[in-house]
Amino acid sequence: MSNQDLSSQSYTEPSAASVQDLIPVVMRLLRIFRHRKKVIFATLYCFILVGGAYYWLAPRYYSSSAKLLIDEQKVDQLSAVGEHDSTGNTMATHRELVVSPVVVEQAIQQLAPQHRVDLQGKDPKDWVKTISKRLSAKITRKTNFIDVSYSSRDPEAAAAVVNAVIEAYLAFVEKNHKGTAGEILSVLTDERDQLQASLNQQQIELQKFRRQVGHLAISSDDGVVEPMIQRAIRLNEALLETQEKRLKLQATLTAIQDSLNRGEDISQHLTSIESTLGKQMLLASMGLSPQDLQVLSEQQKKLLEAQQKLQNLSPHLGPNHPSILELQAEVQNLTQYVSSYHSGARQRFDSLGSALPTENIVNMLEQSVRQAQQQEKQLLSSFEQARAEASQHSDALVRLRMIERDVIRKETLFDSLSEKIASIDIGQIRAPIKATVVREPLPSDIPVNPQLRFVATLCLLGGSCAGALIVYVQDVLDDRFNSPEELSSQLGVPVLAMVRQLEQLPGEGFAAVHTNAMPTGVETEAFRTLRTSISLSGDTCERILVSSSEPGDGKTTISANLSVAFAQAGKRTLVIDADLRRPGFTALANLKGLQGVADVLSSEQPPEVAAPPLVQATEVPGLDVLPVGLRRPNPSELLSSSAFVELLAWADSQYDRVIVDCPPVLAVSDAQIVGQLVDGAILVVRPEKNHRRSVIRAVDSFRSAGCTVLGVVANGLSNDTGSYGYGYGYGYGYDESYGHTSEDVDTQVSHREFDVPPIDPPVTIPVPTAPQSQTIRPRRAA
């Protein structure tokens, strides 16, 4: 992957993550706005009332406007060569000139008394400031138009002011133009004369320098190289060729001398000395001539033609055909001739080494080396001289080019100044700009202030923003849920059941569970409603996780009553106490000290073998409990192991309903780990105790882990229907000690406006410190 792909990927992933994190926040804000929509509508209604009162009571202002066309006379522009177009600056200058105090003061003097409506009761010193506040001039983008407008309480007065301002502006421009053309002409003439004198001197210097350098007037644009430079280049190429030839000759001479000193055959060097001794000499030494080579070539050509012809006729004629036999005989004769010729040549070549005149060959090579060295020396001397002359000539050419460019630049500037002087001389009676009124100011009966559309838009926008701000502030200050509707709206999940504050029952274990002890009581109706809501949810809900946002919310009590409700409905139910840190359900069922979940997950045996002996039957028919077991130092690692997945799979195959009692989701990550393995989670909430942001964060934690939140159970409600009361005292705390600790929930909580007077504070359910005799029997393995 390239660096560009990596950088693109690193840029795309954070962007997608930020958008994904923003969506829940926006959805939560929308739910808050929907819940408190009455506040937004009330704020919007107040803004509409204020806006309507302003619209009916505010004084009306009427506007009148005119349009000016500013035509710039470019022939009179004083600009240097290469200067950019100044139209934009000219338009901005004249826009400021239209609303300038000088023009406004002249316009006020031209106004009739009946048109000075806006100046009545004003000090004459403030008249210019008063008119300037409601006078505006705007440039239409990418055009030469200026829109001049004025707002007044009288439509006729508005049109009169605009007309007076335009007349004052045109008079000011006309007055200030007089005498400008003569001054411009004088300045340009002096500049042209100075430039002409400098140009004449530069041209004379150019001619002298050309004669000095001997310039041939060859244009560099034609791609032609100066003769001196071209001569140096050719000498350099010839020098390189001579050096290469000398080096080859020296290498050949050295190799032959070494072979002779060692007494070796020099035939191996024939190819290297061929260019020195000549090809004819080598052929003569071998007893060959060019005619022999030509004859051999012709015979080889005939051999190839005969072989090709024989190959073409063989598929069509028989092997004894006269033509085939004739071709075969011809191929055989030609083959013998070529072979014998090659054999003789090879023998002559082998004997050539001893027959060659070695002394003459060495002498010839030494002479060739000396000639190459002499030629190289002469070429090197000529090249150095030519290079020096070319270098000096190049410097002169560079200076010559600079003088030529300077002369051309001054000639161009001189021509431009001459054209400007001619233009000013011809059109000196014309102004630098021509202003034309293309739209006359007319009175209008439609007020521009206040505008109904603007006031309505401002009221709607301001009321909506102010209402949203008030709702947000209320949401920040009030961090509790005020109703089940608000609870469901802000969490985005349904309220499955609302459990009132439960009273303490005598007994221990499941004898103190309301659904078991009082199956027909009013208190247990909420748990039957919870059971029905889960059964009718439409999704498969056989494995259910029960947790809360904080300790002390009553999630163990909800798990116990819900499991009894399922068992009473004929569903074989198993409760797994997955709270390996503070096992509340195990303590409630009086199963402390027995082996359970932690032992199954730590066992070397598979869960389907290790779990059945540890499952404990209860006094409720159809309800079994798998206690937490002995404490382990790594609860998160145990719950995230594959053994826990297998344990849930075994429980799902043996029971109709599996309820997993987990620690609070915000306290530890155990609930999120288990949430990935179950069909859905139930969050227990105490509206009077839990902070709203904590509950929202708990729901978001489940969703981020990929767990489906079936809904929430509002626990600890007061007996007064429709309002939240106090939470009951079910103790839950996380500390270093092992064992269940009962803590009374503080009942001294400030009441809200809609709460009824507090009832008697609830008492906590006493939890035994050691198992007592009760009707709990081990469940046999299936």
Side-chain angles (χ1 to χ4, degrees), residues 393-404:
H393 189 68
S394 297
D395 295 340
L397 288 178
V398 171
R399 184 181 175 188
L400 180 63
R401 297 288 186 268
M402 294 174 61
I403 298 176
E404 289 177 347

PDB file of all heavy atoms in Angstrom, residues 393-404:
ATOM      1  N   HIS A 393      34.279  34.710 -26.040  1.00  0.00           N
ATOM      2  CA  HIS A 393      33.230  35.162 -26.958  1.00  0.00           C
ATOM      3  C   HIS A 393      31.838  34.999 -26.339  1.00  0.00           C
ATOM      4  O   HIS A 393      30.942  35.824 -26.565  1.00  0.00           O
ATOM      5  CB  HIS A 393      33.321  34.361 -28.261  1.00  0.00           C
ATOM      6  CG  HIS A 393      32.428  34.895 -29.348  1.00  0.00           C
ATOM      7  ND1 HIS A 393      32.639  36.119 -29.953  1.00  0.00           N
ATOM      8  CD2 HIS A 393      31.314  34.363 -29.919  1.00  0.00           C
ATOM      9  CE1 HIS A 393      31.701  36.323 -30.864  1.00  0.00           C
ATOM     10  NE2 HIS A 393      30.883  35.268 -30.859  1.00  0.00           N
ATOM     11  N   SER A 394      31.626  33.957 -25.507  1.00  0.00           N
ATOM     12  CA  SER A 394      30.328  33.739 -24.857  1.00  0.00           C
ATOM     13  C   SER A 394      30.021  34.858 -23.868  1.00  0.00           C
ATOM     14  O   SER A 394      28.882  35.345 -23.792  1.00  0.00           O
ATOM     15  CB  SER A 394      30.317  32.392 -24.137  1.00  0.00           C
ATOM     16  OG  SER A 394      30.485  31.340 -25.055  1.00  0.00           O
ATOM     17  N   ASP A 395      31.024  35.298 -23.107  1.00  0.00           N
ATOM     18  CA  ASP A 395      30.810  36.405 -22.180  1.00  0.00           C
ATOM     19  C   ASP A 395      30.397  37.668 -22.931  1.00  0.00           C
ATOM     20  O   ASP A 395      29.497  38.412 -22.499  1.00  0.00           O
ATOM     21  CB  ASP A 395      32.071  36.673 -21.371  1.00  0.00           C
ATOM     22  CG  ASP A 395      32.428  35.501 -20.471  1.00  0.00           C
ATOM     23  OD1 ASP A 395      31.523  34.692 -20.194  1.00  0.00           O
ATOM     24  OD2 ASP A 395      33.604  35.388 -20.061  1.00  0.00           O
ATOM     25  N   ALA A 396      31.057  37.889 -24.058  1.00  0.00           N
ATOM     26  CA  ALA A 396      30.698  39.066 -24.850  1.00  0.00           C
ATOM     27  C   ALA A 396      29.281  38.952 -25.399  1.00  0.00           C
ATOM     28  O   ALA A 396      28.531  39.933 -25.451  1.00  0.00           O
ATOM     29  CB  ALA A 396      31.702  39.245 -25.997  1.00  0.00           C
ATOM     30  N   LEU A 397      28.895  37.728 -25.787  1.00  0.00           N
ATOM     31  CA  LEU A 397      27.540  37.538 -26.315  1.00  0.00           C
ATOM     32  C   LEU A 397      26.489  37.775 -25.244  1.00  0.00           C
ATOM     33  O   LEU A 397      25.415  38.335 -25.507  1.00  0.00           O
ATOM     34  CB  LEU A 397      27.393  36.121 -26.883  1.00  0.00           C
ATOM     35  CG  LEU A 397      28.133  35.838 -28.199  1.00  0.00           C
ATOM     36  CD1 LEU A 397      27.935  34.385 -28.592  1.00  0.00           C
ATOM     37  CD2 LEU A 397      27.631  36.760 -29.299  1.00  0.00           C
ATOM     38  N   VAL A 398      26.760  37.335 -24.000  1.00  0.00           N
ATOM     39  CA  VAL A 398      25.803  37.557 -22.904  1.00  0.00           C
ATOM     40  C   VAL A 398      25.594  39.044 -22.667  1.00  0.00           C
ATOM     41  O   VAL A 398      24.459  39.529 -22.529  1.00  0.00           O
ATOM     42  CB  VAL A 398      26.301  36.856 -21.627  1.00  0.00           C
ATOM     43  CG1 VAL A 398      25.441  37.257 -20.435  1.00  0.00           C
ATOM     44  CG2 VAL A 398      26.261  35.344 -21.802  1.00  0.00           C
ATOM     45  N   ARG A 399      26.687  39.775 -22.638  1.00  0.00           N
ATOM     46  CA  ARG A 399      26.557  41.227 -22.454  1.00  0.00           C
ATOM     47  C   ARG A 399      25.818  41.865 -23.623  1.00  0.00           C
ATOM     48  O   ARG A 399      25.019  42.785 -23.439  1.00  0.00           O
ATOM     49  CB  ARG A 399      27.954  41.840 -22.290  1.00  0.00           C
ATOM     50  CG  ARG A 399      27.910  43.331 -22.005  1.00  0.00           C
ATOM     51  CD  ARG A 399      29.298  43.906 -21.869  1.00  0.00           C
ATOM     52  NE  ARG A 399      29.240  45.355 -21.708  1.00  0.00           N
ATOM     53  CZ  ARG A 399      30.311  46.154 -21.720  1.00  0.00           C
ATOM     54  NH1 ARG A 399      31.534  45.616 -21.895  1.00  0.00           N
ATOM     55  NH2 ARG A 399      30.172  47.464 -21.568  1.00  0.00           N
ATOM     56  N   LEU A 400      26.088  41.356 -24.823  1.00  0.00           N
ATOM     57  CA  LEU A 400      25.400  41.884 -26.000  1.00  0.00           C
ATOM     58  C   LEU A 400      23.892  41.656 -25.915  1.00  0.00           C
ATOM     59  O   LEU A 400      23.088  42.541 -26.234  1.00  0.00           O
ATOM     60  CB  LEU A 400      25.978  41.230 -27.259  1.00  0.00           C
ATOM     61  CG  LEU A 400      25.360  41.680 -28.597  1.00  0.00           C
ATOM     62  CD1 LEU A 400      25.605  43.162 -28.819  1.00  0.00           C
ATOM     63  CD2 LEU A 400      25.944  40.863 -29.755  1.00  0.00           C
ATOM     64  N   ARG A 401      23.483  40.460 -25.466  1.00  0.00           N
ATOM     65  CA  ARG A 401      22.042  40.161 -25.319  1.00  0.00           C
ATOM     66  C   ARG A 401      21.397  41.094 -24.290  1.00  0.00           C
ATOM     67  O   ARG A 401      20.267  41.548 -24.469  1.00  0.00           O
ATOM     68  CB  ARG A 401      21.857  38.706 -24.892  1.00  0.00           C
ATOM     69  CG  ARG A 401      22.353  37.675 -25.889  1.00  0.00           C
ATOM     70  CD  ARG A 401      21.446  37.602 -27.114  1.00  0.00           C
ATOM     71  NE  ARG A 401      21.862  36.516 -27.997  1.00  0.00           N
ATOM     72  CZ  ARG A 401      22.721  36.671 -29.007  1.00  0.00           C
ATOM     73  NH1 ARG A 401      23.257  37.866 -29.235  1.00  0.00           N
ATOM     74  NH2 ARG A 401      23.051  35.641 -29.769  1.00  0.00           N
ATOM     75  N   MET A 402      22.107  41.382 -23.202  1.00  0.00           N
ATOM     76  CA  MET A 402      21.554  42.260 -22.177  1.00  0.00           C
ATOM     77  C   MET A 402      21.327  43.668 -22.730  1.00  0.00           C
ATOM     78  O   MET A 402      20.284  44.293 -22.475  1.00  0.00           O
ATOM     79  CB  MET A 402      22.492  42.315 -20.967  1.00  0.00           C
ATOM     80  CG  MET A 402      22.612  40.992 -20.216  1.00  0.00           C
ATOM     81  SD  MET A 402      23.845  41.049 -18.900  1.00  0.00           S
ATOM     82  CE  MET A 402      23.154  42.346 -17.885  1.00  0.00           C
ATOM     83  N   ILE A 403      22.314  44.166 -23.511  1.00  0.00           N
ATOM     84  CA  ILE A 403      22.155  45.505 -24.087  1.00  0.00           C
ATOM     85  C   ILE A 403      20.995  45.518 -25.074  1.00  0.00           C
ATOM     86  O   ILE A 403      20.200  46.478 -25.108  1.00  0.00           O
ATOM     87  CB  ILE A 403      23.473  45.940 -24.752  1.00  0.00           C
ATOM     88  CG1 ILE A 403      24.610  46.036 -23.707  1.00  0.00           C
ATOM     89  CG2 ILE A 403      23.299  47.264 -25.469  1.00  0.00           C
ATOM     90  CD1 ILE A 403      25.969  46.359 -24.308  1.00  0.00           C
ATOM     91  N   GLU A 404      20.856  44.461 -25.882  1.00  0.00           N
ATOM     92  CA  GLU A 404      19.754  44.409 -26.852  1.00  0.00           C
ATOM     93  C   GLU A 404      18.399  44.408 -26.161  1.00  0.00           C
ATOM     94  O   GLU A 404      17.464  45.092 -26.579  1.00  0.00           O
ATOM     95  CB  GLU A 404      19.912  43.165 -27.729  1.00  0.00           C
ATOM     96  CG  GLU A 404      21.063  43.245 -28.705  1.00  0.00           C
ATOM     97  CD  GLU A 404      21.222  41.953 -29.491  1.00  0.00           C
ATOM     98  OE1 GLU A 404      20.589  40.934 -29.074  1.00  0.00           O
ATOM     99  OE2 GLU A 404      21.945  41.935 -30.492  1.00  0.00           O
TER     100      GLU A 404
END
